[in-house]
Amino acid sequence: MSPARAASGRKGRAAPQAKKAGGKERRKATPESASPAAKAPTDRPGTRDNAARSDARHRRDLLAAMMRIRRFEERCVELYSAAKIRGFVHLYIGEEAVAVGVTAALDPEDAVVSTYREHGHALARGVPAEAIMAEMYGKATGCSRGRGGSMHLFDASRRFYGGSAIVGGGLPLAAGLALADRMRELPHVTCCFFGDGAFAEGEFHETANLAALWHLPLLLVCENNLYAMGTALAREHAQTDLAMRAASYGMPAWAVDGMDVRAVEDAARRAVTGIRAGNGPHFLEARTYRFRAHSMYDPDRYRDKEEIAEWKARDPVPALQERMRKAAELDDSALAELEDTIAAEVERAVEAAEQAPAERPEDLLRFVTSPPRTRS
């Protein structure tokens, strides 16, 4: 099937325009979130109660996933300070609702492409904490055999096609994966995470144009944390409404509160539903914030403390905990049990990484080139 044929399909509906906002007022604004999908009505006895219990379990799973990322990242800070983890490390603390909310809307057969800040994406996708931690240690049991480290997590068995140290580098790869699925007539979606800094790269605009032109099943998720490394969004872009700019490529695009995991999941499900219906690529601008510096090397002198405190007041983890408490879905005992379970999981990952073997020197060239083919 040719790309032109792959591009054929029903034209997507016009993208809703996100409200323009800038500066401090923009940070305090609550972005428009997608409406939850309506549930089918039913008159069967007990169905509503069962649905409520199922929803409560789902919210607990969302909370556990965010807490797992948070505790994993906090442990990485300690290990980096102890020189157990080396190289560049970019933490996901504060942005957990985006990874968890989006991946909750995806199927196991869908593909995920990430950035160099991908620990949270990998954990949310189901890559084992032990495999990730071993990779951080550079051990042979890591998900990339210790060859990639923090910025190059990869797990093909979960269709997690890794992080990339190049800003925007995952975007063309994601377009290729989406095109391959379309040409093989597979009903899959490819999700690509990237930061607001990638919006200034040619890769984004080339990918957005081709995805819309060829009608690819691609979900573009921009994690807008307001800073491309140390450069504020308003200092880099004349128009800071990224969803509105993405809509100019002819794809449905809207902004969502990236600090609300339920809003992110609803928006992602709405987008994935549209993609699976044949409406081409969709774009989500998740307005979020990283609580830590860009990387462990970053002195973080470009943000004022008041701004950081304002965003920490919207921390997605305690926000969901509080909602669940008010709904009588979570109490102190259950929360403590969840904390203990996750802490034990993270410590098992650390212990396994400590004991894992390093890659053997004689294997260093393995996987670098393909083995010679024998002629029959």
Side-chain angles (χ1 to χ4, degrees):
M1 183 183 295
S2 67
R5 185 179 175 189
S8 65
R10 186 158 51 92
K11 193 72 175 176
R13 63 178 179 274
Q17 299 297 316
K19 294 182 179 180
K20 179 180 178 181
K24 197 165 185 177
E25 185 176 76
R26 177 194 185 283
R27 292 197 299 270
K28 291 187 175 181
T30 301
E32 177 187 0
S33 61
S35 301
K39 294 186 177 181
T42 178
D43 296 322
R44 288 181 294 169
T47 299
R48 292 181 183 274
D49 292 339
N50 291 336
R53 284 194 292 270
S54 178
D55 288 345
R57 284 195 298 270
H58 180 62
R59 283 188 285 274
R60 186 187 183 282
D61 290 341
L62 295 176
L63 176 61
M66 289 197 295
M67 290 173 61
R68 181 176 296 107
I69 296 171
R70 179 67 59 89
R71 302 301 172 243
F72 185 93
E73 296 290 68
E74 290 171 346
R75 193 70 174 94
C76 285
V77 173
E78 298 172 358
L79 295 168
Y80 187 91
S81 299
K84 297 287 187 177
I85 296 175
R86 304 189 181 190
F88 283 95
V89 174
H90 304 82
L91 301 170
Y92 202 66
I93 295 174
E95 301 185 24
E96 295 90 347
V98 182
V100 173
V102 171
T103 54
L106 300 174
D107 289 342
E109 297 79 14
D110 295 330
V112 175
V113 179
S114 186
T115 70
Y116 50 74
R117 196 184 305 280
E118 87 271 40
H119 309 162
H121 304 143
L123 286 166
R125 186 59 176 171
V127 181
E130 291 188 6
I132 298 174
M133 189 62 77
E135 187 61 34
M136 304 282 282
Y137 269 65
K139 297 297 185 71
T141 55
C143 56
S144 299
R145 296 189 62 87
R147 294 162 177 255
S150 172
M151 293 191 283
H152 298 283
L153 306 178
F154 190 94
D155 190 337
S157 68
R158 292 173 174 80
R159 296 206 79 195
F160 184 77
Y161 296 111
S164 173
I166 300 173
V167 175
L171 285 156
L173 171 63
L177 289 167
L179 177 60
D181 283 341
R182 170 60 57 80
M183 293 177 72
R184 290 182 294 173
E185 299 183 349
L186 298 175
H188 304 330
V189 170
T190 296
C191 172
C192 184
F193 292 98
F194 55 97
D196 51 286
F199 214 93
E201 299 290 331
E203 288 93 340
F204 168 76
H205 300 281
E206 293 162 356
T207 299
N209 181 64
L210 280 179
L213 184 65
W214 292 347
H215 229 54
L216 299 182
L218 180 63
L219 174 59
L220 297 169
V221 180
C222 178
E223 296 180 304
N224 180 6
N225 60 29
L226 302 181
Y227 290 92
M229 296 183 68
T231 303
L233 184 71
R235 290 181 177 270
E236 183 181 13
H237 296 277
Q239 171 54 263
T240 59
D241 192 327
L242 304 185
M244 184 174 70
R245 291 175 63 189
S248 69
Y249 285 101
M251 68 178 76
W254 63 92
V256 62
D257 181 1
M259 308 302 279
D260 184 339
V261 67
R262 298 180 306 173
V264 173
E265 182 184 5
D266 289 342
R269 289 193 184 279
R270 172 183 166 191
V272 168
T273 297
I275 295 169
R276 294 198 200 282
N279 293 330
H282 284 53
F283 177 96
L284 291 182
E285 178 192 349
R287 294 176 177 173
T288 184
Y289 200 78
R290 51 176 168 81
F291 295 166
R292 305 278 305 195
H294 169 70
S295 73
M296 292 297 293
Y297 282 106
D298 180 8
D300 199 10
R301 295 173 181 169
Y302 44 85
R303 305 186 297 183
D304 60 67
K305 294 181 179 179
E306 180 186 8
E307 177 184 296
I308 297 173
E310 287 177 3
W311 280 92
K312 283 188 174 181
R314 296 173 55 193
D315 190 326
V317 179
L320 182 57
Q321 290 174 352
E322 184 59 26
R323 291 185 190 122
M324 293 177 68
R325 284 182 186 277
K326 289 181 178 179
E329 297 172 353
L330 185 72
D331 56 23
D332 291 342
S333 176
L335 180 58
E337 181 180 356
L338 188 57
E339 286 278 16
D340 290 343
T341 299
I342 291 172
E345 179 185 343
V346 173
E347 286 311 305
R348 284 195 301 270
V350 174
E351 292 170 7
E354 291 276 0
Q355 299 170 10
E359 188 82 328
R360 300 184 308 166
E362 53 267 35
D363 288 340
L364 289 179
L365 294 181
R366 190 181 175 199
F367 309 119
V368 175
T369 60
S370 300
R373 299 180 63 180
T374 57
R375 295 183 179 179
S376 56

